[in-house]
Amino acid sequence: MESSSTPSGGSTRREATRQKLYEAAVTLIAEQGFSATTVDEIAERAGVAKGTVYYNFASKSVLFEELLRHGVGLLTASLREAAEQTERDGGSKVDALDAMIRAGLGFIARYPSFTQLYVAELYRTNRAWQSTLMVVRQQVNAAIEDVLHAGVANGEFSPEIDVRLTAAALVGMVLVAALDWQSFQPERSLDDVHSALSRLLQGRVSGDR
């Protein structure tokens, strides 16, 4: 997973190493689960010494928490950029949500292992990083909520919609549909999947429907 910012100077090498560790951890944990994945395996997959893992992260749990923050940060940034670009282009709030759906699908297609991991961990209640997971979940939902609030304010969306629940439903729709696409319908294109979800969006939240 690529960093959401560009490192400079002496931090470049460390950021590159952390990137390798993120990639190795997300792939291994998605494949075999958190408990079954060892620091030795993460180091080996990343092509670094075991001590390098502990130099960059205090523990495997800390690495996992940072991985969640990193991945969800990238997803949230891509959603907000899609909405902002739509606004710059003069599009409606429905157009913005549609662009965010496409951006979400694109992220999931690019990082399927992270998405599988995120969804698998989202509803577990016995993890040390549960509070972190709730924080990053809200970051994603808030990006959608902002567009919904704006759409209600300008009369484009019905004032009767429950913004928080609608945002959660849209995020869930994209996550589940994309994972189903990746796992069971890989022959479909991103355009095909986006088109199906776009039609669903138009019939569910547009204020004039």
Side-chain angles (χ1 to χ4, degrees), residues 76-103 143 147:
T76 303
S78 69
L79 296 180
R80 290 196 179 279
E81 172 56 28
E84 290 165 4
Q85 184 61 54
T86 301
E87 183 174 0
R88 289 193 291 269
D89 293 341
S92 68
K93 297 306 177 187
V94 169
D95 292 334
L97 290 176
D98 190 54
M100 294 170 95
I101 286 174
R102 186 176 183 86
V147 175

Side-chain angles (χ1 to χ4, degrees), residues 2-204:
E2 296 176 358
S3 174
S4 56
S5 62
T6 302
S8 60
S11 66
T12 303
R13 181 174 298 177
R14 186 178 185 193
E15 286 301 317
T17 299
R18 289 167 71 91
Q19 189 66 38
K20 290 179 182 178
L21 292 171
Y22 284 135
E23 293 282 359
V26 72
T27 302
L28 286 166
I29 295 171
E31 288 175 354
Q32 57 195 34
F34 178 81
S35 298
T37 300
T38 67
V39 171
D40 285 334
E41 289 174 319
I42 293 172
E44 181 179 1
R45 179 69 66 93
V48 301
K50 181 178 179 179
T52 301
V53 180
Y54 291 115
Y55 175 76
N56 285 275
F57 304 99
S59 66
K60 185 175 70 169
S61 291
V62 170
L63 168 57
F64 187 73
E65 286 193 63
E66 288 300 313
L67 175 63
L68 289 172
R69 292 183 187 277
H70 179 69
V72 172
L74 290 176
L75 172 58
T76 303
S78 69
L79 296 180
R80 290 196 179 279
E81 172 56 28
E84 290 165 4
Q85 184 61 54
T86 301
E87 183 174 0
R88 289 193 291 269
D89 293 341
S92 68
K93 297 306 177 187
V94 169
D95 292 334
L97 290 176
D98 190 54
M100 294 170 95
I101 286 174
R102 186 176 183 86
L105 291 172
F107 176 90
I108 293 166
R110 190 172 186 182
Y111 303 119
S113 293
F114 173 80
T115 306
Q116 292 168 11
L117 187 58
Y118 174 69
V119 172
E121 293 294 327
L122 193 55
Y123 299 104
R124 295 181 188 272
T125 58
N126 61 341
R127 299 297 205 189
W129 50 80
Q130 189 66 23
S131 60
T132 297
L133 196 55
M134 292 302 98
V135 169
V136 297
R137 170 191 172 275
Q138 184 51 35
Q139 289 176 0
V140 175
N141 286 11
I144 306 293
E145 288 175 15
D146 287 348
V147 175
L148 290 171
H149 278 301
V152 171
N154 70 12
E156 189 173 346
F157 300 153
S158 167
E160 297 180 359
I161 66 171
D162 184 317
V163 169
R164 288 186 64 190
L165 190 57
T166 301
L170 288 172
V171 172
M173 176 182 74
V174 173
L175 288 173
V176 173
L179 288 177
D180 187 88
W181 163 40
Q182 295 285 304
S183 299
F184 304 113
Q185 305 180 62
E187 72 282 0
R188 290 182 178 269
S189 67
L190 189 152
D191 286 341
D192 189 20
V193 178
H194 172 236
S195 178
L197 297 189
S198 180
R199 286 192 293 271
L200 184 60
L201 169 72
Q202 297 290 337
R204 289 296 183 269

